[in-house]
Amino acid sequence: MTKTEIRKRLKELLEKLDDLKADFEDLKNDVDCASGDIEAYEGRNELTQQQEERQEWLDDLSWMLDDIIDLDTSELEDKAEGC
């Protein structure tokens, strides 16, 4: 494998990381919408226990996705440029 091939492959992989981050952002938006869409059933003032548990799970997932989205890949990009 030549240096040029390696550099090209590194660049492609870093671009895939950017695409993945965008996909994670889309998923997070969908998760946030799903959590926000949970409403008490008609005739009730409060969520059921199952609805509360689902909403809590979705909110926890949203926080986890924030962590993934916020990962700093600049160090990888810097190292790849130095190759």
Side-chain angles (χ1 to χ4, degrees):
M1 187 174 238
T2 66
K3 282 185 180 181
T4 303
E5 291 170 328
I6 292 170
R7 287 181 182 135
K8 180 182 176 199
R9 184 123 182 248
L10 275 171
K11 182 180 176 187
E12 290 170 354
L13 291 172
L14 289 170
E15 288 171 358
K16 285 182 182 181
L17 275 177
D18 289 336
D19 291 342
L20 279 173
K21 276 190 165 187
D23 290 342
F24 278 112
E25 287 174 0
D26 290 343
L27 177 59
K28 182 191 176 336
N29 289 334
D30 291 343
V31 167
D32 289 342
C33 286
S35 177
D37 288 346
I38 297 174
E39 296 180 357
Y41 291 118
E42 191 172 325
R44 292 184 161 215
N45 293 331
E46 297 180 8
L47 299 176
T48 64
Q49 181 178 351
Q50 291 83 7
Q51 287 174 309
E52 287 177 0
E53 289 172 1
R54 177 172 168 75
Q55 194 170 49
E56 183 179 332
W57 182 82
L58 289 167
D59 292 344
D60 289 345
L61 178 58
S62 180
W63 283 99
M64 183 189 73
L65 291 169
D66 276 334
D67 290 343
I68 293 170
I69 293 165
D70 292 340
L71 286 175
D72 184 9
T73 57
S74 62
E75 185 177 342
L76 290 173
E77 292 166 358
D78 291 344
K79 287 183 180 183
E81 287 176 10
C83 291

